[in-house]
Amino acid sequence: TYAPKNAHYRKLSGMLAFNDGDFEDAERKLREAVQLAPDNAEYKVELANLVFKQDKRQEARDLFEDLIRRDPKYKLSWQQYIIQHANNGDD
């Protein structure tokens, strides 16, 4: 099958896999998107949210903290980080 090496395509494919319940494929595709576009914070937020939903909470926390450290003004990172903490019962 045709699979362009394009980060946006990988991200969208990952989200489709997630919606189909294939979390392993979704994670693989989101990791590929992050590899192809390492400066794209949106892809990293999506990956962090996905790994959190897979109960890989420390990895999700590390991803969010790295995003916040790199760009403290990126609101989506802060919003999702706070939501994940609230969902986890963290103080």
Side-chain angles (χ1 to χ4, degrees):
T1 62
Y2 179 68
K5 293 191 178 207
N6 157 324
H8 187 67
Y9 172 82
R10 297 290 182 183
K11 184 239 180 199
L12 293 176
S13 295
M15 299 315 298
L16 287 172
F18 176 80
N19 289 338
D20 286 342
D22 189 346
F23 302 126
E24 185 176 307
D25 190 40
E27 182 178 343
R28 182 179 56 77
K29 288 176 178 172
L30 284 170
R31 287 188 189 282
E32 289 172 359
V34 168
Q35 271 188 326
L36 291 168
D39 294 329
N40 189 310
E42 177 188 342
Y43 298 166
K44 290 179 182 178
V45 167
E46 293 289 351
L47 177 60
N49 283 330
L50 175 65
V51 297
F52 183 85
K53 289 175 184 170
Q54 293 179 302
D55 214 23
K56 299 176 187 177
R57 294 182 175 174
Q58 185 59 51
E59 182 180 358
R61 184 175 295 127
D62 292 345
L63 285 166
F64 280 121
E65 289 175 358
D66 182 59
L67 281 162
I68 290 167
R69 191 172 37 258
R70 289 175 186 258
D71 185 0
K73 294 181 181 181
Y74 186 58
K75 290 180 183 178
L76 184 60
S77 296
W78 279 105
Q79 291 168 343
Q80 294 301 305
Y81 184 65
I82 290 166
I83 288 169
Q84 299 307 345
H85 271 287
N87 288 340
N88 194 33
D90 293 341
D91 292 331

